[in-house]
Amino acid sequence: MRVLLLNPPGANVYIRDYFCSKTTKSNYLFEPIDLVMLSGTIAVAHEVGVLDCMAERLSIEQARARIDAFAPEVLVSLVGSVSWNEDRPFLADQAARGRRVLAIGDVLHEKADVRLAEEPWLEAVLGNFVNADVLAYLAGRYERIWDMTYRRDGRIVRATHGKLRTDYRVPRPLHELFPQRGYRFSFARNERFATVLTDWGCPFPCEFCVMSTLGFATRAVAEVMEEIDHLRVRGVRELFVMDQTFGARKERARELCAAFEARGDLSWTTYTRADIADDELFAAMRRAGCHTVMMGVESADEALLKRYRKVYDVSAIRAGFARAKKHGLRTVGTFVIGLPEETEQSLRATLELALDLELDFMSVNMAVPRFGTRFRRRAIELGLVDERDLVMDQGGAEAKLPTHTLDRAQMRALKKRMVRNFYLRPSWLWRRLRNTRDFAELRRSAREGMALLMRNV
């Protein structure tokens, strides 16, 4: 069959992948990892194409024309809670044109059978993008499907056999099918970069994070390096390693770092946790070409960290960021604000912690009831959100929820103030300028910085 992997058009720049849809907080946009990982899998048995309307900034009319030109029988499309009201009519129109529509995204991560019943244009929902379910489904081998919801013989079938907890394999992703221009990454040190994934999900239980709902599994290092070596042949040396907790399995992380170091020409950014990344791991990552690590801080309020099962305290946060700095790594602290127990005092303490940590970058996210999470169930029970409301921006451009003491307008204003207070310090601006390596990086930083500040004035 002719199968088109689609990132649909939209009125704004949307990031829809990995069950976490949002508007960009500054100006970044990277290869959608769901489609990247599916590209090699589908190519095993079908002719596959890619259309990323976000990267190419295509209008609805332009997107329709490009889809018609490829003439796919099947669309495998990203959808997102942030863009659901735009995705639905666009994909319904494609179904009306005789195309089969399969989809994956956060808005479908919970109650996929209900969404199928509500949306007659939608044929099937993928629950996983690192297995071969899509091939089994298209071949009619339903007994081989592990995590999908689909229509069959006039009924809706849910095939859910549990979270992925073992190693997994995927054929080499076809990065060459994705646009060569249009992707931007705030922390990349080179203009051209690629997004790669060496594991799946996360083994930690954070209650507000969708990653804790997926299970945890890893790819063989040899398979990862086959993908990366193919990128190197194409001239790509900069990577966004999208693993949610790099180093969760220490021995494997060391093996991966050794393979990166042996290449000697890689430059990369990834996520890890301040409580698991020890000196040995940070040293190995630095030797392997890692230059920037993103680590969750979330809050300076110890009670909040405990309530939402972060499994670390502020002292572990301070120690982890100090270790990263000691090994010459740039640090990005990620924060979640606006949880029900949040107060203006806890926000002030969180900003003070961010300043004390001497972060290179700060990423502030508003708490949202992500699909499938324990926090969503609790927010519904508390009456903070209507379970029928499917539209939200997980990047936190708006405050989705009030807290017990702050309304949404107050939360939005306080979030913007936090961002301004952090980034507009003369000391931070001077340090950023001093550490910029060349004019190209300076230009990218200025572009990203202006976009960030414009969203927080």
Side-chain angles (χ1 to χ4, degrees):
M1 300 181 192
R2 290 174 67 84
V3 180
L4 182 65
L5 296 170
L6 175 67
N7 192 9
N12 297 297
V13 177
Y14 300 124
I15 295 172
R16 298 179 172 100
D17 57 334
Y18 218 163
F19 307 107
C20 182
S21 69
K22 51 188 172 287
T23 53
T24 175
K25 287 193 286 292
S26 57
N27 193 40
Y28 55 81
L29 181 71
F30 32 79
E31 292 171 310
I33 199 64
D34 306 41
L35 304 188
V36 170
M37 301 303 283
L38 285 167
S39 62
T41 299
I42 294 175
V44 168
H46 304 284
E47 180 183 353
V48 63
V50 172
L51 182 61
D52 188 342
C53 300
M54 290 290 103
E56 298 194 48
R57 297 305 297 135
L58 299 180
S59 67
I60 290 175
E61 294 74 19
Q62 290 170 325
R64 284 174 179 158
R66 291 280 294 278
I67 295 170
D68 287 344
F70 187 76
E73 299 165 66
V74 180
L75 291 177
V76 178
S77 181
L78 292 176
V79 295
S81 174
V82 68
S83 56
W84 186 232
N85 288 337
E86 298 173 57
D87 299 340
R88 293 168 63 229
F90 183 84
L91 294 172
D93 175 69
Q94 290 300 315
R97 294 168 183 241
R99 288 167 183 136
R100 302 169 64 184
V101 179
L102 286 59
I104 186 169
D106 57 354
V107 71
L108 306 176
H109 184 54
E110 180 180 273
K111 298 184 177 179
D113 53 340
V114 175
R115 303 288 85 80
L116 275 177
E118 293 172 343
E119 308 293 344
W121 52 269
L122 183 57
E123 181 178 318
V125 173
L126 294 171
N128 184 309
F129 55 81
V130 297
N131 65 19
D133 279 355
V134 64
L135 293 183
Y137 178 75
L138 293 176
R141 301 296 301 272
Y142 303 109
E143 73 282 0
R144 295 188 176 184
I145 294 174
W146 186 261
D147 190 6
M148 281 187 73
T149 306
Y150 55 91
R151 302 181 193 275
R152 185 183 181 193
D153 300 329
R155 61 191 180 95
I156 294 173
V157 179
R158 293 188 66 187
T160 52
H161 298 287
K163 299 176 183 178
L164 184 60
R165 297 188 184 279
T166 61
D167 294 345
Y168 67 93
R169 302 189 68 86
V170 291
R172 180 181 62 78
L174 305 181
H175 289 271
E176 59 269 27
L177 297 182
F178 289 77
Q180 299 303 299
R181 300 176 62 86
Y183 297 120
R184 305 169 297 277
F185 189 39
S186 307
F187 312 125
R189 284 189 156 164
N190 296 285
E191 192 81 29
R192 192 177 177 198
F193 73 99
T195 307
V196 299
L197 189 70
T198 88
D199 64 25
W200 162 263
C202 180
F204 293 94
C206 313
E207 291 196 355
F208 49 72
C209 182
V210 71
M211 294 301 156
S212 66
T213 72
L214 301 178
F216 182 67
T218 57
R219 288 171 72 192
V221 170
E223 185 180 283
V224 172
M225 297 316 300
E226 178 190 4
E227 176 185 359
I228 290 175
D229 284 341
H230 182 75
L231 287 166
R232 292 171 63 243
V233 168
R234 299 179 60 243
V236 178
R237 301 290 190 274
E238 185 76 35
L239 304 175
F240 175 22
V241 180
M242 209 175 182
D243 300 11
Q244 297 301 297
T245 314
F246 190 90
R249 291 183 180 169
K250 292 284 182 66
E251 186 59 38
R252 178 183 175 278
R254 287 192 289 267
E255 183 184 355
L256 194 58
C257 284
F260 279 28
E261 184 181 0
R263 270 57 180 183
D265 58 2
L266 295 173
S267 171
W268 50 288
T269 299
T270 195
Y271 298 97
T272 188
R273 280 177 57 113
D275 59 332
I276 70 164
D278 55 20
D279 282 307
E280 183 183 3
L281 180 60
F282 276 143
M285 292 169 68
R286 189 72 180 93
R287 291 194 305 269
C290 181
H291 54 73
T292 305
V293 289
M294 297 178 279
M295 298 189 288
V297 178
E298 321 307 3
S299 175
D301 189 321
E302 299 274 13
L304 278 176
L305 296 176
K306 183 176 181 180
R307 172 67 185 80
Y308 291 95
R309 302 177 72 193
K310 286 304 300 183
V311 201
Y312 55 56
D313 57 19
V314 172
S315 64
I317 293 169
R318 291 183 182 277
F321 278 88
R323 284 193 299 272
K325 186 178 180 65
K326 180 175 71 173
H327 289 283
L329 294 163
R330 296 190 305 181
T331 57
V332 184
T334 65
F335 298 79
V336 173
I337 65 172
L339 293 162
E341 299 82 4
E342 190 81 81
T343 65
E344 189 166 355
Q345 290 72 29
S346 65
L347 285 174
R348 287 200 192 100
T350 298
L351 177 60
E352 289 174 6
L353 176 60
L355 300 180
D356 286 347
L357 293 174
E358 297 186 350
L359 304 172
D360 292 287
F361 305 94
M362 179 176 71
S363 175
V364 181
N365 303 280
M366 300 290 286
V368 293
R370 296 183 177 185
F371 296 95
T373 63
R374 292 190 181 195
F375 176 51
R376 179 173 176 81
R377 293 196 294 273
R378 182 163 178 262
I380 291 170
E381 291 169 0
L382 291 172
L384 298 176
V385 65
D386 187 331
E387 66 178 328
R388 295 167 296 180
D389 182 5
L390 304 180
V391 178
M392 58 182 161
D393 181 0
Q394 298 191 19
E398 297 294 331
K400 180 67 178 177
L401 305 175
T403 76
H404 294 324
T405 59
L406 300 166
D407 63 29
R408 286 186 287 184
Q410 289 172 308
M411 277 305 311
R412 183 170 60 250
L414 288 167
K415 180 253 187 180
K416 291 181 176 181
R417 186 190 305 170
M418 279 185 70
V419 173
R420 294 195 304 270
N421 287 351
F422 180 87
Y423 280 108
L424 293 182
R425 292 172 295 144
S427 60
W428 183 88
L429 293 168
W430 168 242
R431 179 155 51 97
R432 186 75 187 99
L433 181 62
R434 186 182 60 197
N435 293 333
T436 300
R437 300 187 309 167
D438 53 38
F439 179 74
E441 185 176 351
L442 177 63
R443 182 182 60 194
R444 289 193 299 273
S445 296
R447 181 183 62 200
E448 295 288 329
M450 286 302 297
L452 177 67
L453 291 174
M454 288 298 292
R455 288 167 171 78
N456 289 282
V457 293

